[in-house]
Short mmCIF file of all heavy atoms in Angstrom, two decimals:
data_model
loop_
_atom_site.label_atom_id
_atom_site.label_comp_id
_atom_site.label_asym_id
_atom_site.label_seq_id
_atom_site.Cartn_x
_atom_site.Cartn_y
_atom_site.Cartn_z
N SER A 1139 12.39 2.08 10.27
CA SER A 1139 13.31 1.74 9.18
C SER A 1139 14.65 1.32 9.77
O SER A 1139 15.05 1.80 10.84
CB SER A 1139 13.51 2.93 8.24
OG SER A 1139 14.31 3.93 8.84
N ILE A 1140 15.33 0.44 9.07
CA ILE A 1140 16.66 0.01 9.49
C ILE A 1140 17.64 1.16 9.36
O ILE A 1140 18.56 1.32 10.18
CB ILE A 1140 17.10 -1.21 8.66
CG1 ILE A 1140 16.21 -2.43 9.00
CG2 ILE A 1140 18.57 -1.56 8.90
CD1 ILE A 1140 16.38 -3.62 8.10
N ALA A 1141 17.45 1.99 8.36
CA ALA A 1141 18.34 3.14 8.14
C ALA A 1141 18.38 4.07 9.34
O ALA A 1141 19.39 4.76 9.57
CB ALA A 1141 17.91 3.90 6.89
N ALA A 1142 17.30 4.11 10.13
CA ALA A 1142 17.22 5.03 11.27
C ALA A 1142 18.03 4.55 12.48
O ALA A 1142 18.19 5.29 13.45
CB ALA A 1142 15.76 5.23 11.69
N MET A 1143 18.57 3.33 12.43
CA MET A 1143 19.32 2.77 13.56
C MET A 1143 20.73 3.34 13.55
O MET A 1143 21.71 2.65 13.22
CB MET A 1143 19.30 1.24 13.50
CG MET A 1143 17.90 0.66 13.55
SD MET A 1143 17.90 -1.15 13.45
CE MET A 1143 16.14 -1.49 13.58
N SER A 1144 20.87 4.59 13.94
CA SER A 1144 22.06 5.39 13.67
C SER A 1144 23.31 4.96 14.43
O SER A 1144 24.42 5.32 14.03
CB SER A 1144 21.77 6.86 13.93
OG SER A 1144 21.31 7.05 15.24
N ASN A 1145 23.17 4.22 15.54
CA ASN A 1145 24.37 3.82 16.27
C ASN A 1145 24.93 2.48 15.78
O ASN A 1145 25.88 1.94 16.36
CB ASN A 1145 24.14 3.79 17.78
CG ASN A 1145 23.10 2.75 18.19
OD1 ASN A 1145 22.40 2.19 17.34
ND2 ASN A 1145 22.97 2.52 19.49
N LEU A 1146 24.33 1.92 14.73
CA LEU A 1146 24.88 0.72 14.09
C LEU A 1146 25.79 1.15 12.95
O LEU A 1146 25.48 2.10 12.22
CB LEU A 1146 23.77 -0.18 13.55
CG LEU A 1146 22.72 -0.68 14.55
CD1 LEU A 1146 21.72 -1.58 13.82
CD2 LEU A 1146 23.36 -1.43 15.70
N PRO A 1147 26.90 0.45 12.74
CA PRO A 1147 27.77 0.78 11.61
C PRO A 1147 27.00 0.70 10.29
O PRO A 1147 26.14 -0.16 10.12
CB PRO A 1147 28.86 -0.30 11.67
CG PRO A 1147 28.85 -0.77 13.09
CD PRO A 1147 27.43 -0.66 13.55
N GLN A 1148 27.31 1.60 9.38
CA GLN A 1148 26.58 1.64 8.11
C GLN A 1148 26.66 0.31 7.37
O GLN A 1148 25.66 -0.15 6.78
CB GLN A 1148 27.15 2.75 7.22
CG GLN A 1148 26.40 2.95 5.91
CD GLN A 1148 24.96 3.37 6.13
OE1 GLN A 1148 24.70 4.37 6.79
NE2 GLN A 1148 24.01 2.60 5.61
N GLU A 1149 27.81 -0.32 7.41
CA GLU A 1149 27.97 -1.61 6.72
C GLU A 1149 27.03 -2.66 7.31
O GLU A 1149 26.44 -3.47 6.58
CB GLU A 1149 29.42 -2.07 6.82
CG GLU A 1149 29.72 -3.33 6.02
CD GLU A 1149 31.19 -3.73 6.10
OE1 GLU A 1149 32.00 -2.96 6.65
OE2 GLU A 1149 31.51 -4.83 5.61
N PHE A 1150 26.88 -2.62 8.63
CA PHE A 1150 25.99 -3.60 9.28
C PHE A 1150 24.52 -3.28 8.98
O PHE A 1150 23.72 -4.18 8.77
CB PHE A 1150 26.24 -3.59 10.79
CG PHE A 1150 25.47 -4.65 11.54
CD1 PHE A 1150 25.49 -5.98 11.13
CD2 PHE A 1150 24.70 -4.32 12.65
CE1 PHE A 1150 24.78 -6.96 11.82
CE2 PHE A 1150 23.99 -5.29 13.34
CZ PHE A 1150 24.03 -6.61 12.93
N ARG A 1151 24.18 -1.99 8.93
CA ARG A 1151 22.82 -1.61 8.55
C ARG A 1151 22.50 -2.08 7.13
O ARG A 1151 21.40 -2.56 6.84
CB ARG A 1151 22.62 -0.09 8.65
CG ARG A 1151 22.26 0.38 10.05
CD ARG A 1151 22.05 1.88 10.08
NE ARG A 1151 23.31 2.59 10.22
CZ ARG A 1151 23.46 3.90 10.06
NH1 ARG A 1151 22.41 4.65 9.72
NH2 ARG A 1151 24.63 4.48 10.22
N ASN A 1152 23.47 -1.96 6.25
CA ASN A 1152 23.28 -2.42 4.87
C ASN A 1152 23.03 -3.93 4.85
O ASN A 1152 22.18 -4.43 4.09
CB ASN A 1152 24.49 -2.07 4.01
CG ASN A 1152 24.65 -0.58 3.80
OD1 ASN A 1152 23.69 0.19 4.00
ND2 ASN A 1152 25.83 -0.15 3.40
N LEU A 1153 23.78 -4.65 5.67
CA LEU A 1153 23.62 -6.10 5.74
C LEU A 1153 22.24 -6.47 6.29
O LEU A 1153 21.56 -7.36 5.77
CB LEU A 1153 24.71 -6.71 6.62
CG LEU A 1153 24.66 -8.23 6.82
CD1 LEU A 1153 24.86 -8.96 5.50
CD2 LEU A 1153 25.69 -8.67 7.85
N LEU A 1154 21.80 -5.76 7.34
CA LEU A 1154 20.47 -6.01 7.91
C LEU A 1154 19.39 -5.77 6.85
O LEU A 1154 18.44 -6.56 6.72
CB LEU A 1154 20.22 -5.10 9.11
CG LEU A 1154 20.91 -5.44 10.42
CD1 LEU A 1154 20.66 -4.34 11.45
CD2 LEU A 1154 20.45 -6.79 10.96
N ALA A 1155 19.53 -4.70 6.10
CA ALA A 1155 18.54 -4.37 5.06
C ALA A 1155 18.54 -5.41 3.95
O ALA A 1155 17.51 -5.65 3.32
CB ALA A 1155 18.83 -2.98 4.50
N GLU A 1156 19.69 -6.01 3.72
CA GLU A 1156 19.78 -7.06 2.69
C GLU A 1156 19.10 -8.34 3.14
O GLU A 1156 18.42 -9.02 2.36
CB GLU A 1156 21.25 -7.33 2.38
CG GLU A 1156 21.49 -8.41 1.35
CD GLU A 1156 22.96 -8.74 1.19
OE1 GLU A 1156 23.81 -7.84 1.38
OE2 GLU A 1156 23.28 -9.91 0.90
N LYS A 1157 19.25 -8.65 4.43
CA LYS A 1157 18.74 -9.93 4.95
C LYS A 1157 17.31 -9.84 5.48
O LYS A 1157 16.56 -10.82 5.44
CB LYS A 1157 19.65 -10.42 6.09
CG LYS A 1157 21.09 -10.66 5.70
CD LYS A 1157 21.23 -11.88 4.82
CE LYS A 1157 22.72 -12.18 4.56
NZ LYS A 1157 22.87 -13.35 3.66
N PHE A 1158 16.94 -8.68 6.01
CA PHE A 1158 15.66 -8.52 6.69
C PHE A 1158 14.93 -7.29 6.16
O PHE A 1158 15.44 -6.54 5.34
CB PHE A 1158 15.86 -8.38 8.20
CG PHE A 1158 16.65 -9.50 8.82
CD1 PHE A 1158 17.98 -9.33 9.16
CD2 PHE A 1158 16.06 -10.74 9.04
CE1 PHE A 1158 18.71 -10.36 9.72
CE2 PHE A 1158 16.78 -11.78 9.60
CZ PHE A 1158 18.11 -11.59 9.94
N GLU A 1159 13.72 -7.08 6.69
CA GLU A 1159 12.99 -5.85 6.40
C GLU A 1159 12.37 -5.34 7.69
O GLU A 1159 12.38 -6.03 8.72
CB GLU A 1159 11.92 -6.09 5.34
CG GLU A 1159 10.83 -7.07 5.75
CD GLU A 1159 9.83 -7.29 4.62
OE1 GLU A 1159 10.05 -6.80 3.51
OE2 GLU A 1159 8.83 -7.98 4.86
N LEU A 1160 11.85 -4.15 7.65
CA LEU A 1160 11.18 -3.55 8.80
C LEU A 1160 10.02 -2.73 8.27
O LEU A 1160 10.20 -1.62 7.76
CB LEU A 1160 12.15 -2.67 9.60
CG LEU A 1160 11.61 -2.10 10.91
CD1 LEU A 1160 11.18 -3.21 11.85
CD2 LEU A 1160 12.67 -1.23 11.58
N ASN A 1161 8.84 -3.32 8.33
CA ASN A 1161 7.66 -2.68 7.76
C ASN A 1161 6.61 -2.47 8.83
O ASN A 1161 6.15 -3.44 9.45
CB ASN A 1161 7.06 -3.54 6.65
CG ASN A 1161 7.90 -3.53 5.39
OD1 ASN A 1161 8.48 -2.51 5.04
ND2 ASN A 1161 7.99 -4.66 4.71
N ALA A 1162 6.24 -1.24 9.06
CA ALA A 1162 5.12 -0.96 9.96
C ALA A 1162 3.82 -1.23 9.22
O ALA A 1162 3.74 -1.11 7.99
CB ALA A 1162 5.17 0.49 10.42
N LEU A 1163 2.79 -1.63 9.96
CA LEU A 1163 1.46 -1.76 9.36
C LEU A 1163 1.00 -0.38 8.88
O LEU A 1163 1.29 0.63 9.52
CB LEU A 1163 0.46 -2.30 10.38
CG LEU A 1163 0.39 -3.83 10.55
CD1 LEU A 1163 1.70 -4.42 11.05
CD2 LEU A 1163 -0.75 -4.20 11.50
N ARG A 1164 0.30 -0.37 7.77
CA ARG A 1164 -0.20 0.91 7.24
C ARG A 1164 -1.63 1.11 7.68
O ARG A 1164 -2.51 0.31 7.35
CB ARG A 1164 -0.10 0.91 5.72
CG ARG A 1164 -0.43 2.28 5.11
CD ARG A 1164 -0.20 2.29 3.61
NE ARG A 1164 -1.27 1.62 2.90
CZ ARG A 1164 -2.42 2.19 2.54
NH1 ARG A 1164 -2.66 3.46 2.87
NH2 ARG A 1164 -3.32 1.53 1.86
N LEU A 1165 -1.87 2.17 8.44
CA LEU A 1165 -3.22 2.45 8.90
C LEU A 1165 -4.09 2.87 7.72
O LEU A 1165 -3.76 3.81 6.99
CB LEU A 1165 -3.19 3.56 9.96
CG LEU A 1165 -4.53 3.91 10.58
CD1 LEU A 1165 -5.11 2.73 11.35
CD2 LEU A 1165 -4.39 5.12 11.52
N LYS A 1166 -5.20 2.18 7.56
CA LYS A 1166 -6.10 2.47 6.44
C LYS A 1166 -7.34 3.24 6.88
O LYS A 1166 -7.83 4.10 6.18
CB LYS A 1166 -6.50 1.15 5.77
CG LYS A 1166 -7.17 1.32 4.41
CD LYS A 1166 -7.32 -0.02 3.71
CE LYS A 1166 -8.00 0.13 2.36
NZ LYS A 1166 -7.15 0.80 1.37
N LYS A 1167 -7.84 2.90 8.07
CA LYS A 1167 -9.08 3.55 8.53
C LYS A 1167 -9.20 3.40 10.04
O LYS A 1167 -8.77 2.39 10.61
CB LYS A 1167 -10.29 2.91 7.84
CG LYS A 1167 -11.63 3.56 8.15
CD LYS A 1167 -12.75 2.95 7.31
CE LYS A 1167 -12.62 3.34 5.86
NZ LYS A 1167 -13.81 2.89 5.07
N VAL A 1168 -9.80 4.38 10.68
CA VAL A 1168 -10.12 4.31 12.11
C VAL A 1168 -11.59 4.66 12.28
O VAL A 1168 -12.08 5.62 11.68
CB VAL A 1168 -9.27 5.29 12.95
CG1 VAL A 1168 -9.63 5.18 14.43
CG2 VAL A 1168 -7.79 5.04 12.75
N GLN A 1169 -12.28 3.86 13.09
CA GLN A 1169 -13.65 4.19 13.47
C GLN A 1169 -13.69 4.44 14.97
O GLN A 1169 -13.13 3.66 15.74
CB GLN A 1169 -14.61 3.06 13.11
CG GLN A 1169 -15.02 3.03 11.66
CD GLN A 1169 -16.13 2.03 11.39
OE1 GLN A 1169 -16.37 1.13 12.19
NE2 GLN A 1169 -16.81 2.18 10.28
N GLY A 1170 -14.35 5.53 15.36
CA GLY A 1170 -14.49 5.85 16.77
C GLY A 1170 -15.92 5.68 17.22
O GLY A 1170 -16.86 6.06 16.51
N SER A 1171 -16.10 5.08 18.38
CA SER A 1171 -17.44 4.83 18.93
C SER A 1171 -17.81 5.90 19.94
O SER A 1171 -16.95 6.58 20.51
CB SER A 1171 -17.45 3.45 19.60
OG SER A 1171 -18.62 3.26 20.36
N ALA A 1172 -19.11 6.01 20.19
CA ALA A 1172 -19.59 6.96 21.21
C ALA A 1172 -19.05 6.61 22.59
O ALA A 1172 -18.92 7.49 23.44
CB ALA A 1172 -21.12 6.96 21.22
N ASP A 1173 -18.75 5.32 22.83
CA ASP A 1173 -18.22 4.94 24.14
C ASP A 1173 -16.69 4.98 24.16
O ASP A 1173 -16.07 4.49 25.10
CB ASP A 1173 -18.73 3.56 24.57
CG ASP A 1173 -18.26 2.42 23.65
OD1 ASP A 1173 -17.31 2.65 22.87
OD2 ASP A 1173 -18.83 1.33 23.73
N THR A 1174 -16.08 5.56 23.15
CA THR A 1174 -14.64 5.76 22.97
C THR A 1174 -13.90 4.49 22.56
O THR A 1174 -12.68 4.49 22.50
CB THR A 1174 -13.93 6.40 24.19
OG1 THR A 1174 -13.90 5.47 25.27
CG2 THR A 1174 -14.62 7.69 24.61
N THR A 1175 -14.60 3.41 22.28
CA THR A 1175 -13.96 2.28 21.61
C THR A 1175 -13.46 2.75 20.25
O THR A 1175 -14.12 3.53 19.58
CB THR A 1175 -14.97 1.13 21.41
OG1 THR A 1175 -15.39 0.65 22.69
CG2 THR A 1175 -14.36 -0.02 20.63
N ARG A 1176 -12.29 2.27 19.85
CA ARG A 1176 -11.75 2.64 18.54
C ARG A 1176 -11.33 1.38 17.80
O ARG A 1176 -10.68 0.51 18.38
CB ARG A 1176 -10.57 3.60 18.67
CG ARG A 1176 -10.94 4.94 19.30
CD ARG A 1176 -9.73 5.81 19.52
NE ARG A 1176 -9.19 6.32 18.27
CZ ARG A 1176 -8.04 6.99 18.18
NH1 ARG A 1176 -7.32 7.21 19.26
NH2 ARG A 1176 -7.61 7.43 17.02
N LYS A 1177 -11.71 1.30 16.54
CA LYS A 1177 -11.33 0.17 15.70
C LYS A 1177 -10.38 0.65 14.62
O LYS A 1177 -10.64 1.65 13.95
CB LYS A 1177 -12.57 -0.49 15.08
CG LYS A 1177 -12.21 -1.58 14.07
CD LYS A 1177 -13.42 -2.36 13.59
CE LYS A 1177 -13.75 -3.48 14.54
NZ LYS A 1177 -14.68 -4.45 13.94
N PHE A 1178 -9.27 -0.08 14.46
CA PHE A 1178 -8.23 0.26 13.51
C PHE A 1178 -8.19 -0.79 12.41
O PHE A 1178 -8.09 -1.99 12.69
CB PHE A 1178 -6.86 0.32 14.21
CG PHE A 1178 -6.79 1.32 15.32
CD1 PHE A 1178 -7.31 1.02 16.58
CD2 PHE A 1178 -6.21 2.56 15.12
CE1 PHE A 1178 -7.26 1.95 17.62
CE2 PHE A 1178 -6.14 3.49 16.15
CZ PHE A 1178 -6.67 3.19 17.39
N LEU A 1179 -8.27 -0.35 11.17
CA LEU A 1179 -8.14 -1.23 10.02
C LEU A 1179 -6.77 -0.96 9.40
O LEU A 1179 -6.48 0.16 8.99
CB LEU A 1179 -9.24 -0.96 9.00
CG LEU A 1179 -9.28 -1.91 7.80
CD1 LEU A 1179 -9.71 -3.31 8.22
CD2 LEU A 1179 -10.23 -1.38 6.72
N SER A 1180 -5.94 -2.01 9.33
CA SER A 1180 -4.58 -1.86 8.85
C SER A 1180 -4.36 -2.69 7.60
O SER A 1180 -4.95 -3.76 7.44
CB SER A 1180 -3.57 -2.30 9.92
OG SER A 1180 -3.79 -1.60 11.12
N GLU A 1181 -3.47 -2.20 6.75
CA GLU A 1181 -3.12 -2.93 5.53
C GLU A 1181 -1.74 -3.55 5.70
O GLU A 1181 -0.79 -2.90 6.16
CB GLU A 1181 -3.12 -1.98 4.32
CG GLU A 1181 -2.91 -2.69 3.00
CD GLU A 1181 -3.06 -1.76 1.81
OE1 GLU A 1181 -2.65 -0.58 1.93
OE2 GLU A 1181 -3.60 -2.20 0.78
N LEU A 1182 -1.62 -4.82 5.32
CA LEU A 1182 -0.37 -5.55 5.42
C LEU A 1182 0.43 -5.42 4.12
O LEU A 1182 -0.04 -4.83 3.15
CB LEU A 1182 -0.65 -7.02 5.74
CG LEU A 1182 -1.57 -7.25 6.95
CD1 LEU A 1182 -1.85 -8.72 7.14
CD2 LEU A 1182 -0.97 -6.63 8.22
N HIS A 1183 1.62 -6.01 4.10
CA HIS A 1183 2.50 -5.85 2.94
C HIS A 1183 1.89 -6.38 1.65
O HIS A 1183 2.20 -5.89 0.56
CB HIS A 1183 3.83 -6.57 3.20
CG HIS A 1183 3.75 -8.05 3.04
ND1 HIS A 1183 3.18 -8.88 4.00
CD2 HIS A 1183 4.13 -8.86 2.03
CE1 HIS A 1183 3.24 -10.13 3.57
NE2 HIS A 1183 3.81 -10.15 2.39
N ASP A 1184 0.99 -7.38 1.75
CA ASP A 1184 0.38 -7.97 0.56
C ASP A 1184 -1.04 -7.44 0.33
O ASP A 1184 -1.83 -8.04 -0.39
CB ASP A 1184 0.34 -9.49 0.69
CG ASP A 1184 -0.35 -9.98 1.96
OD1 ASP A 1184 -0.79 -9.12 2.77
OD2 ASP A 1184 -0.48 -11.20 2.15
N HIS A 1185 -1.34 -6.29 0.95
CA HIS A 1185 -2.61 -5.58 0.79
C HIS A 1185 -3.79 -6.26 1.47
O HIS A 1185 -4.94 -5.84 1.29
CB HIS A 1185 -2.93 -5.35 -0.70
CG HIS A 1185 -1.80 -4.71 -1.46
ND1 HIS A 1185 -1.33 -3.45 -1.15
CD2 HIS A 1185 -1.04 -5.17 -2.49
CE1 HIS A 1185 -0.32 -3.15 -1.96
NE2 HIS A 1185 -0.12 -4.17 -2.78
N GLN A 1186 -3.53 -7.30 2.25
CA GLN A 1186 -4.59 -7.88 3.06
C GLN A 1186 -4.92 -6.90 4.19
O GLN A 1186 -4.07 -6.09 4.59
CB GLN A 1186 -4.17 -9.23 3.64
CG GLN A 1186 -3.88 -10.29 2.60
CD GLN A 1186 -5.13 -10.79 1.90
OE1 GLN A 1186 -6.25 -10.53 2.35
NE2 GLN A 1186 -4.96 -11.50 0.79
#
């Protein structure tokens, strides 16, 4: 989150939040294989 950038002035953080966003992918599912391969299914901002 932009709010967590604590060494930036609050006014500048507000400006960043107004102009930009910071969105992590949302983990939806993980599958683990017997050989330790792991597949991650993530959801994007538009639910794709």
Side-chain angles (χ1 to χ4, degrees):
S1139 73
I1140 293 170
M1143 300 179 178
S1144 56
N1145 64 349
L1146 302 181
Q1148 184 62 57
E1149 186 178 352
F1150 185 50
R1151 276 182 276 169
N1152 293 342
L1153 178 64
L1154 285 174
E1156 179 186 330
K1157 300 289 186 182
F1158 305 103
E1159 63 182 7
L1160 186 58
N1161 288 323
L1163 275 63
R1164 188 175 77 85
L1165 183 64
K1166 193 170 179 70
K1167 184 174 290 187
V1168 181
Q1169 280 189 341
S1171 168
D1173 63 16
T1174 70
T1175 296
R1176 296 175 71 188
K1177 173 172 275 194
F1178 300 80
L1179 185 70
S1180 305
E1181 186 174 37
L1182 308 177
H1183 77 283
D1184 55 358
H1185 308 298
Q1186 297 289 346

